[in-house]
Short mmCIF file of all heavy atoms in Angstrom, two decimals:
data_model
loop_
_atom_site.label_atom_id
_atom_site.label_comp_id
_atom_site.label_asym_id
_atom_site.label_seq_id
_atom_site.Cartn_x
_atom_site.Cartn_y
_atom_site.Cartn_z
N MET A 29 73.19 2.86 12.52
CA MET A 29 73.36 2.49 11.12
C MET A 29 73.04 3.73 10.27
O MET A 29 71.91 4.23 10.30
CB MET A 29 72.41 1.33 10.79
CG MET A 29 72.35 0.98 9.33
SD MET A 29 71.11 -0.32 9.00
CE MET A 29 72.13 -1.77 8.87
N VAL A 31 72.36 5.69 6.82
CA VAL A 31 71.78 5.35 5.51
C VAL A 31 72.56 6.04 4.40
O VAL A 31 72.77 7.26 4.44
CB VAL A 31 70.31 5.83 5.43
CG1 VAL A 31 69.72 5.53 4.06
CG2 VAL A 31 69.47 5.21 6.54
N LEU A 32 72.99 5.26 3.41
CA LEU A 32 73.66 5.83 2.24
C LEU A 32 72.88 5.39 1.00
O LEU A 32 73.03 4.26 0.51
CB LEU A 32 75.12 5.33 2.19
CG LEU A 32 76.00 5.88 1.06
CD1 LEU A 32 75.98 7.40 1.01
CD2 LEU A 32 77.43 5.39 1.22
N ASN A 33 72.01 6.27 0.53
CA ASN A 33 71.14 5.96 -0.61
C ASN A 33 71.80 6.36 -1.92
O ASN A 33 72.05 7.55 -2.16
CB ASN A 33 69.80 6.69 -0.46
CG ASN A 33 68.86 5.96 0.49
OD1 ASN A 33 68.87 4.74 0.55
ND2 ASN A 33 68.05 6.72 1.21
N LEU A 34 72.06 5.38 -2.79
CA LEU A 34 72.73 5.63 -4.08
C LEU A 34 71.69 5.65 -5.20
O LEU A 34 71.94 5.17 -6.29
CB LEU A 34 73.76 4.51 -4.31
CG LEU A 34 74.65 4.22 -3.11
CD1 LEU A 34 75.50 2.98 -3.35
CD2 LEU A 34 75.54 5.43 -2.82
N THR A 35 70.54 6.20 -4.89
CA THR A 35 69.38 6.13 -5.79
C THR A 35 69.01 7.52 -6.30
O THR A 35 69.26 8.51 -5.63
CB THR A 35 68.17 5.62 -4.99
OG1 THR A 35 68.05 6.46 -3.83
CG2 THR A 35 68.34 4.19 -4.54
N ASP A 37 65.84 8.25 -6.55
CA ASP A 37 64.42 8.43 -6.21
C ASP A 37 64.05 8.03 -4.79
O ASP A 37 62.88 7.76 -4.52
CB ASP A 37 63.57 7.62 -7.21
CG ASP A 37 63.94 6.14 -7.21
OD1 ASP A 37 65.01 5.79 -6.69
OD2 ASP A 37 63.16 5.35 -7.75
N SER A 38 65.01 7.97 -3.85
CA SER A 38 64.64 7.64 -2.47
C SER A 38 63.74 8.72 -1.91
O SER A 38 63.83 9.89 -2.32
CB SER A 38 65.89 7.51 -1.59
OG SER A 38 66.51 6.28 -1.86
N PHE A 39 62.87 8.36 -0.94
CA PHE A 39 61.80 9.29 -0.55
C PHE A 39 62.33 10.56 0.11
O PHE A 39 61.69 11.60 0.04
CB PHE A 39 60.76 8.59 0.35
CG PHE A 39 61.19 8.46 1.79
CD1 PHE A 39 60.80 9.41 2.72
CD2 PHE A 39 61.96 7.39 2.20
CE1 PHE A 39 61.19 9.30 4.05
CE2 PHE A 39 62.35 7.27 3.53
CZ PHE A 39 61.96 8.23 4.45
N SER A 40 63.50 10.50 0.77
CA SER A 40 63.92 11.71 1.48
C SER A 40 65.19 12.34 0.91
O SER A 40 65.44 13.52 1.13
CB SER A 40 64.12 11.41 2.96
OG SER A 40 65.37 10.83 3.21
N ASP A 41 66.02 11.56 0.23
CA ASP A 41 67.30 12.12 -0.25
C ASP A 41 67.67 11.61 -1.64
O ASP A 41 68.85 11.60 -1.99
CB ASP A 41 68.43 11.83 0.75
CG ASP A 41 68.61 10.34 1.02
OD1 ASP A 41 67.82 9.53 0.45
OD2 ASP A 41 69.52 9.97 1.77
N GLY A 42 66.65 11.19 -2.41
CA GLY A 42 66.91 10.66 -3.75
C GLY A 42 67.71 11.65 -4.59
O GLY A 42 67.43 12.84 -4.58
N ASP A 67 74.58 1.50 5.73
CA ASP A 67 73.66 0.67 4.94
C ASP A 67 73.55 1.28 3.55
O ASP A 67 72.96 2.35 3.38
CB ASP A 67 72.29 0.64 5.63
CG ASP A 67 71.35 -0.39 5.01
OD1 ASP A 67 71.84 -1.47 4.60
OD2 ASP A 67 70.13 -0.15 4.97
N GLY A 69 72.16 1.46 -0.15
CA GLY A 69 71.01 0.99 -0.91
C GLY A 69 71.02 1.59 -2.30
O GLY A 69 71.26 2.78 -2.47
N ALA A 70 70.77 0.77 -3.33
CA ALA A 70 70.81 1.25 -4.70
C ALA A 70 69.47 1.04 -5.40
O ALA A 70 69.38 1.15 -6.63
CB ALA A 70 71.94 0.56 -5.46
N GLU A 71 68.44 0.71 -4.61
CA GLU A 71 67.07 0.64 -5.14
C GLU A 71 66.14 1.21 -4.07
O GLU A 71 66.12 0.72 -2.94
CB GLU A 71 66.68 -0.82 -5.43
CG GLU A 71 65.26 -0.95 -5.96
CD GLU A 71 64.77 -2.39 -6.01
OE1 GLU A 71 64.91 -3.12 -5.00
OE2 GLU A 71 64.24 -2.79 -7.05
N SER A 72 65.38 2.23 -4.43
CA SER A 72 64.41 2.75 -3.46
C SER A 72 63.33 1.71 -3.23
O SER A 72 62.93 1.01 -4.16
CB SER A 72 63.77 4.04 -3.98
OG SER A 72 62.68 4.40 -3.15
N THR A 73 62.89 1.59 -1.97
CA THR A 73 61.84 0.62 -1.66
C THR A 73 60.62 1.31 -1.07
O THR A 73 59.85 0.69 -0.35
CB THR A 73 62.37 -0.44 -0.66
OG1 THR A 73 62.97 0.22 0.45
CG2 THR A 73 63.38 -1.36 -1.32
N ARG A 74 60.44 2.61 -1.38
CA ARG A 74 59.28 3.28 -0.79
C ARG A 74 58.00 2.63 -1.32
O ARG A 74 57.83 2.43 -2.52
CB ARG A 74 59.31 4.79 -1.04
CG ARG A 74 59.15 5.17 -2.46
CD ARG A 74 59.34 6.66 -2.70
NE ARG A 74 58.97 6.96 -4.06
CZ ARG A 74 59.72 6.65 -5.13
NH1 ARG A 74 60.89 6.06 -4.96
NH2 ARG A 74 59.29 6.92 -6.34
N PRO A 75 57.11 2.24 -0.39
CA PRO A 75 55.94 1.47 -0.79
C PRO A 75 54.91 2.29 -1.55
O PRO A 75 54.76 3.48 -1.30
CB PRO A 75 55.35 1.00 0.54
CG PRO A 75 56.33 1.33 1.59
CD PRO A 75 57.18 2.44 1.06
N TYR A 80 53.14 7.68 -1.40
CA TYR A 80 54.11 7.70 -2.50
C TYR A 80 53.51 7.23 -3.82
O TYR A 80 54.22 6.77 -4.71
CB TYR A 80 55.35 6.86 -2.16
CG TYR A 80 56.00 7.31 -0.88
CD1 TYR A 80 56.11 6.47 0.21
CD2 TYR A 80 56.51 8.61 -0.77
CE1 TYR A 80 56.68 6.90 1.40
CE2 TYR A 80 57.09 9.04 0.41
CZ TYR A 80 57.17 8.19 1.48
OH TYR A 80 57.75 8.62 2.66
N ALA A 84 58.12 3.06 -5.53
CA ALA A 84 59.38 3.13 -6.27
C ALA A 84 59.35 2.23 -7.49
O ALA A 84 58.68 1.19 -7.49
CB ALA A 84 60.53 2.73 -5.35
N ASP A 114 71.58 -2.98 1.34
CA ASP A 114 70.12 -3.06 1.39
C ASP A 114 69.66 -3.49 -0.01
O ASP A 114 69.63 -2.69 -0.95
CB ASP A 114 69.63 -1.64 1.73
CG ASP A 114 68.12 -1.53 1.89
OD1 ASP A 114 67.41 -2.48 1.50
OD2 ASP A 114 67.67 -0.48 2.37
N ASN A 133 70.85 -6.53 4.19
CA ASN A 133 69.61 -6.00 4.75
C ASN A 133 68.53 -6.20 3.71
O ASN A 133 68.55 -5.57 2.65
CB ASN A 133 69.81 -4.51 5.07
CG ASN A 133 68.51 -3.82 5.45
OD1 ASN A 133 67.56 -4.47 5.91
ND2 ASN A 133 68.47 -2.51 5.27
N ASP A 134 67.60 -7.12 4.00
CA ASP A 134 66.61 -7.51 2.99
C ASP A 134 65.20 -7.10 3.45
O ASP A 134 64.61 -7.76 4.32
CB ASP A 134 66.69 -9.02 2.78
CG ASP A 134 65.67 -9.53 1.78
OD1 ASP A 134 65.00 -8.71 1.12
OD2 ASP A 134 65.54 -10.77 1.66
N VAL A 135 64.66 -6.04 2.85
CA VAL A 135 63.33 -5.58 3.26
C VAL A 135 62.23 -6.55 2.83
O VAL A 135 61.10 -6.44 3.30
CB VAL A 135 63.01 -4.14 2.75
CG1 VAL A 135 64.01 -3.13 3.24
CG2 VAL A 135 62.86 -4.10 1.24
N VAL A 155 69.68 -8.94 7.96
CA VAL A 155 68.52 -8.25 8.54
C VAL A 155 67.28 -8.69 7.76
O VAL A 155 67.27 -8.60 6.53
CB VAL A 155 68.67 -6.72 8.44
CG1 VAL A 155 67.43 -6.02 9.04
CG2 VAL A 155 69.95 -6.24 9.11
N LEU A 156 66.26 -9.14 8.49
CA LEU A 156 65.00 -9.51 7.86
C LEU A 156 63.94 -8.54 8.35
O LEU A 156 63.68 -8.42 9.55
CB LEU A 156 64.60 -10.93 8.28
CG LEU A 156 65.53 -12.04 7.81
CD1 LEU A 156 65.12 -13.38 8.43
CD2 LEU A 156 65.52 -12.15 6.28
N MET A 157 63.34 -7.80 7.41
CA MET A 157 62.37 -6.78 7.77
C MET A 157 60.94 -7.25 7.51
O MET A 157 60.68 -7.91 6.52
CB MET A 157 62.65 -5.50 6.96
CG MET A 157 61.93 -4.29 7.51
SD MET A 157 61.82 -2.97 6.30
CE MET A 157 60.52 -3.63 5.24
N HIS A 158 60.03 -6.85 8.38
CA HIS A 158 58.62 -7.24 8.21
C HIS A 158 57.92 -6.37 7.17
O HIS A 158 58.06 -5.15 7.15
CB HIS A 158 57.87 -7.08 9.54
CG HIS A 158 56.44 -7.49 9.41
ND1 HIS A 158 55.44 -6.61 9.05
CD2 HIS A 158 55.85 -8.71 9.53
CE1 HIS A 158 54.29 -7.26 8.98
NE2 HIS A 158 54.52 -8.54 9.27
N LEU A 202 66.20 -8.75 13.35
CA LEU A 202 64.81 -8.57 12.91
C LEU A 202 64.39 -7.11 12.99
O LEU A 202 64.88 -6.34 13.82
CB LEU A 202 63.88 -9.43 13.78
CG LEU A 202 64.10 -10.94 13.63
CD1 LEU A 202 63.23 -11.71 14.63
CD2 LEU A 202 63.80 -11.41 12.19
N ASP A 203 63.44 -6.74 12.13
CA ASP A 203 63.03 -5.34 11.98
C ASP A 203 61.51 -5.31 11.78
O ASP A 203 61.00 -6.03 10.91
CB ASP A 203 63.77 -4.80 10.74
CG ASP A 203 63.47 -3.33 10.45
OD1 ASP A 203 62.41 -2.84 10.82
OD2 ASP A 203 64.33 -2.69 9.81
N PRO A 204 60.78 -4.50 12.55
CA PRO A 204 59.32 -4.49 12.41
C PRO A 204 58.83 -3.83 11.12
O PRO A 204 57.63 -3.90 10.81
CB PRO A 204 58.85 -3.67 13.63
CG PRO A 204 60.01 -2.80 13.97
CD PRO A 204 61.24 -3.61 13.62
N GLY A 205 59.73 -3.19 10.36
CA GLY A 205 59.32 -2.64 9.06
C GLY A 205 58.42 -1.43 9.19
O GLY A 205 57.31 -1.39 8.62
N ILE A 206 58.91 -0.42 9.90
CA ILE A 206 58.14 0.82 10.07
C ILE A 206 57.88 1.43 8.68
O ILE A 206 58.81 1.62 7.89
CB ILE A 206 58.93 1.84 10.95
CG1 ILE A 206 59.25 1.24 12.33
CG2 ILE A 206 58.18 3.17 11.05
CD1 ILE A 206 58.09 1.05 13.26
N GLY A 207 56.60 1.71 8.39
CA GLY A 207 56.24 2.34 7.11
C GLY A 207 55.98 1.37 5.98
O GLY A 207 55.60 1.80 4.89
N PHE A 208 56.17 0.09 6.21
CA PHE A 208 55.99 -0.89 5.13
C PHE A 208 54.67 -1.65 5.35
O PHE A 208 54.60 -2.60 6.12
CB PHE A 208 57.16 -1.87 5.08
CG PHE A 208 58.42 -1.28 4.50
CD1 PHE A 208 59.28 -0.54 5.31
CD2 PHE A 208 58.74 -1.41 3.16
CE1 PHE A 208 60.43 0.03 4.79
CE2 PHE A 208 59.89 -0.85 2.63
CZ PHE A 208 60.74 -0.12 3.44
N LEU A 233 66.30 -4.15 14.81
CA LEU A 233 66.70 -2.94 14.09
C LEU A 233 65.43 -2.14 13.82
O LEU A 233 64.40 -2.72 13.47
CB LEU A 233 67.39 -3.32 12.77
CG LEU A 233 67.94 -2.20 11.88
CD1 LEU A 233 69.08 -2.76 11.02
CD2 LEU A 233 66.91 -1.59 10.95
N VAL A 234 65.50 -0.81 13.98
CA VAL A 234 64.34 0.04 13.71
C VAL A 234 64.72 1.13 12.72
O VAL A 234 65.72 1.84 12.92
CB VAL A 234 63.81 0.67 15.01
CG1 VAL A 234 62.75 1.73 14.71
CG2 VAL A 234 63.22 -0.40 15.92
N GLY A 235 63.95 1.25 11.65
CA GLY A 235 64.18 2.29 10.65
C GLY A 235 62.97 3.21 10.57
O GLY A 235 62.02 2.92 9.84
N ALA A 236 63.00 4.29 11.34
CA ALA A 236 61.85 5.21 11.36
C ALA A 236 62.22 6.56 10.76
O ALA A 236 61.35 7.40 10.55
CB ALA A 236 61.36 5.39 12.79
N SER A 237 63.50 6.74 10.45
CA SER A 237 64.03 8.05 10.09
C SER A 237 63.26 8.73 8.95
O SER A 237 63.13 8.16 7.86
CB SER A 237 65.50 7.83 9.67
OG SER A 237 66.15 9.02 9.37
N ARG A 238 62.74 9.93 9.22
CA ARG A 238 62.09 10.81 8.24
C ARG A 238 60.80 10.23 7.64
O ARG A 238 60.29 10.76 6.66
CB ARG A 238 63.05 11.17 7.10
CG ARG A 238 64.29 11.90 7.54
CD ARG A 238 65.14 12.26 6.33
NE ARG A 238 66.40 12.90 6.70
CZ ARG A 238 67.36 13.20 5.82
NH1 ARG A 238 67.18 12.93 4.55
NH2 ARG A 238 68.47 13.77 6.22
N LYS A 239 60.32 9.12 8.17
CA LYS A 239 59.19 8.45 7.48
C LYS A 239 57.88 9.19 7.64
O LYS A 239 57.72 10.04 8.51
CB LYS A 239 59.11 6.99 7.95
CG LYS A 239 60.24 6.18 7.31
CD LYS A 239 60.14 4.71 7.55
CE LYS A 239 61.29 4.02 6.78
NZ LYS A 239 61.44 2.61 7.16
N ARG A 279 68.33 2.74 12.18
CA ARG A 279 68.77 3.07 10.82
C ARG A 279 68.35 4.51 10.55
O ARG A 279 67.16 4.79 10.51
CB ARG A 279 68.09 2.09 9.85
CG ARG A 279 68.45 2.26 8.39
CD ARG A 279 67.67 1.26 7.55
NE ARG A 279 68.03 1.36 6.16
CZ ARG A 279 67.53 2.27 5.32
NH1 ARG A 279 66.65 3.14 5.74
NH2 ARG A 279 67.93 2.31 4.07
N HIS A 281 69.14 8.65 8.75
CA HIS A 281 69.80 9.52 7.76
C HIS A 281 70.68 10.56 8.46
O HIS A 281 71.72 10.94 7.92
CB HIS A 281 68.76 10.24 6.92
CG HIS A 281 67.81 9.33 6.18
ND1 HIS A 281 66.67 8.82 6.74
CD2 HIS A 281 67.87 8.83 4.92
CE1 HIS A 281 66.04 8.05 5.87
NE2 HIS A 281 66.75 8.04 4.76
N1 HH2 B 14 63.53 1.53 5.38
C1 HH2 B 14 63.91 1.91 4.14
C2 HH2 B 14 64.85 1.17 3.41
N2 HH2 B 14 65.41 0.07 3.94
N3 HH2 B 14 65.65 -1.43 5.74
C3 HH2 B 14 65.31 -1.83 6.96
N4 HH2 B 14 65.87 -2.92 7.50
N5 HH2 B 14 64.39 -1.15 7.72
C4 HH2 B 14 63.76 -0.03 7.24
O1 HH2 B 14 62.91 0.54 7.96
C5 HH2 B 14 64.11 0.42 5.91
C6 HH2 B 14 65.07 -0.32 5.19
C7 HH2 B 14 63.34 3.16 3.55
O2 HH2 B 14 64.18 4.28 3.79
P1 HH2 B 14 65.18 4.90 2.69
O3 HH2 B 14 66.25 3.91 2.36
O4 HH2 B 14 65.69 6.22 3.13
O5 HH2 B 14 64.22 5.17 1.46
P2 HH2 B 14 64.10 4.50 0.03
O6 HH2 B 14 63.62 3.09 0.24
O7 HH2 B 14 63.09 5.38 -0.68
O8 HH2 B 14 65.46 4.52 -0.61
#
Side-chain angles (χ1 to χ4, degrees):
M29 172 184 259
V31 178
L32 183 52
N33 280 326
L34 313 172
T35 53
D37 58 344
S38 284
F39 80 94
S40 82
D41 58 357
D67 190 36
E71 179 190 49
S72 170
T73 51
R74 67 186 188 286
Y80 304 118
D114 183 347
N133 171 24
D134 178 8
V135 301
V155 180
L156 296 173
M157 195 199 76
H158 181 270
L202 295 174
D203 181 333
I206 301 290
F208 286 84
L233 182 155
V234 171
S237 183
R238 299 183 183 174
K239 286 188 176 169
R279 182 182 182 278
H281 302 86

